[in-house]
């Protein structure tokens, strides 16, 4: 059974930090890119960050670059998103998704359009 299980969301004040985790199972981890997609209230889903589990290349949306760091632990089949200097506009449900590397010309957030697997989401709320 394929699973992507997110954890680590919560409520923080502006400037605070959170670390999201995405534990994967049931598929070949190294064959996929893992991305975090945010659904903010009243807005469309938007890719935030992505990492290749093959070469560990990463990409970020401009609004989080320099504040968020994505990483992958291949021994644990887990991807992390360290979020620092959080802002109210970072609020939303964060989904961990997996897209096959064979479908990506290169690893970029805006190329994550057809994930094969989705997690259940974890809520992040940043208060002003």
């Amino acid at each position: 059974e394929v699973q992507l299980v997110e954890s680590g969301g919560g409520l923080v004040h502006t400037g605070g930090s959170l670390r999201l985790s995405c534990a994967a199972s049931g598929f070949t981890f190294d064959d996929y890119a893992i991305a975090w997609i945010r659904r903010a209230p009243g807005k469309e889903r938007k890719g935030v960050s992505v990492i290749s589990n093959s070469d560990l290349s990463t990409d970020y949306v401009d609004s989080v670059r320099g504040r968020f760091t994505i990483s992958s632990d291949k021994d644990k089949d887990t991807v992390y998103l360290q979020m620092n200097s959080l802002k109210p506009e970072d609020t939303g449900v964060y989904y961990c998704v997996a897209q096959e590397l064979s479908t990506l010309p290169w690893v970029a957030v805006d190329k994550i359009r057809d994930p094969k697997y989705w997690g259940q989401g974890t809520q992040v709320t940043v208060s002003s």
Side-chain angles (χ1 to χ4, degrees):
E1 179 188 8
V2 171
Q3 285 191 310
L4 291 172
V5 180
E6 301 104 329
S7 60
L11 170 65
V12 297
H13 293 296
T14 296
S17 297
L18 285 172
R19 189 177 82 153
L20 305 184
S21 298
C22 173
S25 61
F27 61 94
T28 305
F29 195 65
D30 286 5
D31 290 346
Y32 285 77
I34 303 293
W36 290 93
I37 293 178
R38 177 176 64 212
R39 189 187 72 211
K43 296 185 178 180
E44 293 185 359
R45 289 192 299 243
K46 185 178 184 64
V48 172
S49 184
V50 62
I51 187 167
S52 162
N53 286 321
S54 175
D55 63 8
L56 301 182
S57 56
T58 62
D59 190 36
Y60 302 88
V61 68
D62 286 345
S63 62
V64 309
R65 198 180 305 274
R67 299 188 296 121
F68 291 10
T69 303
I70 191 169
S71 61
S72 178
D73 185 335
K74 292 188 177 186
D75 290 335
K76 297 181 178 179
D77 284 0
T78 299
V79 169
Y80 303 97
L81 186 67
Q82 178 67 44
M83 305 187 296
N84 298 330
S85 302
L86 282 161
K87 305 175 180 180
E89 52 263 43
D90 296 320
T91 293
V93 178
Y94 283 69
Y95 296 91
C96 171
V97 303
Q99 181 161 336
E100 292 178 281
L101 287 168
S102 61
T103 68
L104 295 169
W106 59 84
V107 173
V109 166
D110 63 358
K111 298 299 182 187
I112 304 299
R113 299 169 185 168
D114 189 25
K116 190 170 184 178
Y117 306 120
W118 287 74
Q120 81 284 357
T122 185
Q123 177 70 45
V124 170
T125 303
V126 185
S127 64
S128 56

